[in-house]
DNA sequence: TTCGCGTTCAAACGATCGTTCGCCTGAAGG
DNA sequence: CCTTCAGGCGAACGATCGTTTGAACGCGAA
């Protein structure tokens, strides 16, 4: 019997608590230990469900990772686009550089707040970007079309800059954003002798915007 | 076997060509596909040696990764320290921010030059930072003491800035440096429609320094 | 009740992994 | 000559992996 799992496309709000438990446990374990270092048995054990649940509800371990990545990146991109849209409305379609970069930096930073239950999702996304399988590059292509709106907004905010300069500086900003991992925070905390704390996300956002805005307007 | 002139820059005690072949093949495969995605059989097949060679010459697969990481990070840190030392000599012990950051950015960028045979080593280091095992954190601790010299130099160049601000901005600069992966370059190239090329490392270094210097002096 | 169906369960399968074992080669040293 | 031994070789071991199987369970509908 080739029983295919009932794959509801987006609104998979089925009554199966097992699927949600697997999803949550997998996201957490992947974010903490990496995709390859977490086995299906680890996931199902942490979720308190049967071993076969992963393949039943998601088809395969790769599909599970893909499903988590697709949902979280979709949520993140939507929130970024919403903030960019609001900045457009506030400034008649031509927001300044700082507010464009704020729409890029603020969503993942707010998620990374220790009081936010999405804190683990940011770590998952950042880690998935590094260990991305070839299957996830198609989502990254969609991510490119999403970033294009930020590039256009930045080019409109600084029409005097060459386009390739805008692209490179957007690349530098993305590097800053993707570097906000637990490991890097720990190293920074150890380097500074405890002077730096990432707990205050509002202060960290201001620091990032100060740095990135000045760099972009160099 | 008589001691033949070691054209390979490895400073190993043995004269076994097999060990060097394993080292080179493993570094290349790890950099391209990641640590977990490369098996010992892949390495030995690419090196044209026997399967048992890895465990004979390096003890284990983890030790092999560790040996490559230790050598490459040592070389990179030494070159960075040398450039920082030269900048100190040029400016009487108080070099400006831009030259400090150049000592941080230039070595891995020069290695990443397409004409440089160390190009793959930079990709290995960057990838190893992301997938680092717990065994490699001790090397990262040594890396912290290495970065401390850059932090001190930056604090001396900008004594008006709070120390924690210097640490955070150094963290941002490291994020910029660690983001120079093939995947990110490809995405940037695709986003800009081909307007950005990373081939000219001198131009890229200038772009990074323009951005980072302005951000640091914000 | 009986049936159908979605879901969960224990158990195993086949593949791949890192590692180890025993044996063979070939040159150095007496 | 024989001995020694580091290095290379094929073959296998034990473990773990993702996945599949077939039966059992729970429950609404007929």
């Amino acid at each position: 019997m080739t029983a295919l799992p009932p794959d509801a496309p987006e609104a998979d709000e089925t009554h199966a608590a097992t699927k949600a438990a697997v999803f949550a446990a997998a996201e957490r374990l992947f974010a903490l230990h990496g995709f390859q270092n977490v086995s299906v048995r680890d996931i199902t054990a942490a979720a308190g469900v049967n071993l076969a649940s992963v393949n039943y509800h998601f088809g395969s371990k790769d599909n599970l990772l893909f499903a988590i990545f697709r949902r979280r990146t979709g949520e993140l991109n939507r929130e970024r686009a919403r903030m960019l849209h609001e900045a457009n409305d506030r400034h008649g379609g031509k927001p300044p550089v700082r507010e464009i970069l704020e729409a890029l930096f603020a969503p993942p930073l707010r998620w990374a707040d220790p009081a936010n239950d999405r804190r683990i999702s940011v770590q998952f996304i950042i880690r998935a970007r590094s260990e991305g399988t070839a299957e996830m590059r198609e989502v990254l292509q969609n991510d490119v079309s999403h970033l294009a709106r930020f590039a256009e907004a930045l080019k409109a905010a600084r029409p005097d800059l060459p386009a390739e300069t805008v692209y490179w500086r957007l690349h530098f900003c993305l590097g800053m954003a993707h570097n906000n991992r637990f490991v890097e925070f720990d190293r920074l905390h150890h380097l500074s002798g405890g002077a730096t704390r990432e707990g205050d996300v509002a202060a960290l956002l201001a620091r990032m915007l100060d740095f990135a805005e000045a760099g972009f307007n160099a």
Side-chain angles (χ1 to χ4, degrees), chain A:
Chain A
M1 179 185 293
T2 63
L4 278 179
D7 196 16
E10 303 299 332
D12 48 354
E13 198 64 33
T14 67
H15 297 79
T18 300
K19 187 170 183 176
V22 166
F23 190 98
E27 180 180 28
R28 174 183 151 83
L29 290 177
F30 287 161
L32 290 179
H33 307 109
F35 180 61
Q36 309 265 11
N37 296 321
V38 174
S39 66
V40 177
R41 286 165 177 84
D42 294 331
I43 299 169
T44 53
V49 300
N50 187 264
L51 170 63
S53 301
V54 166
N55 291 274
Y56 178 78
H57 285 288
F58 295 94
S60 67
K61 183 191 178 187
D62 288 287
N63 275 351
L64 170 59
L65 170 73
F66 192 68
I68 303 175
F69 181 73
R70 182 155 30 89
R71 173 182 297 181
R72 295 309 184 202
T73 48
E75 293 170 347
L76 180 61
N77 288 348
R78 245 175 280 126
E79 191 161 337
R80 278 175 165 170
R82 185 181 58 82
M83 288 195 66
L84 180 61
H85 187 73
E86 291 176 0
N88 267 314
D89 291 345
R90 278 196 302 270
H91 296 87
K94 290 197 65 174
V97 169
R98 189 180 181 92
E99 299 202 20
I100 301 172
L101 295 179
E102 186 177 357
L104 198 69
F105 289 156
L109 270 187
R110 279 206 277 258
W111 287 11
D113 192 301
N116 197 325
D117 59 346
R118 288 185 184 273
R119 179 171 169 82
I120 207 66
S121 299
V122 187
Q123 303 297 322
F124 173 85
I125 290 178
I126 294 178
R127 190 180 279 268
R129 296 196 69 85
S130 298
E131 309 181 8
T133 45
E135 201 177 11
M136 289 161 48
R137 303 300 159 85
E138 86 179 40
V139 179
L140 277 180
Q141 298 301 76
N142 205 331
D143 202 43
V144 164
S145 72
H146 160 258
L147 282 179
R149 283 187 281 186
F150 282 86
E152 293 306 315
L154 288 169
K155 280 193 279 189
R158 288 297 305 272
D160 55 311
L161 286 178
E164 55 175 318
T165 298
V166 172
Y167 286 121
W168 275 114
R169 295 184 177 178
L170 174 59
H171 167 73
F172 299 150
C173 293
L174 290 175
M176 292 174 56
H178 295 347
N179 203 37
N180 287 339
R181 285 168 293 178
F182 289 149
V183 182
E184 302 294 336
F185 280 149
D186 287 344
R187 188 170 69 132
L188 176 64
H189 188 262
H190 182 259
L191 174 63
S192 67
T196 56
R197 290 174 19 85
E198 82 273 14
D200 191 349
V201 295
L204 176 54
L205 175 61
R207 290 185 187 279
M208 290 179 65
L209 286 176
D210 289 343
F211 186 95
E213 182 189 20
F216 209 96
N217 292 325

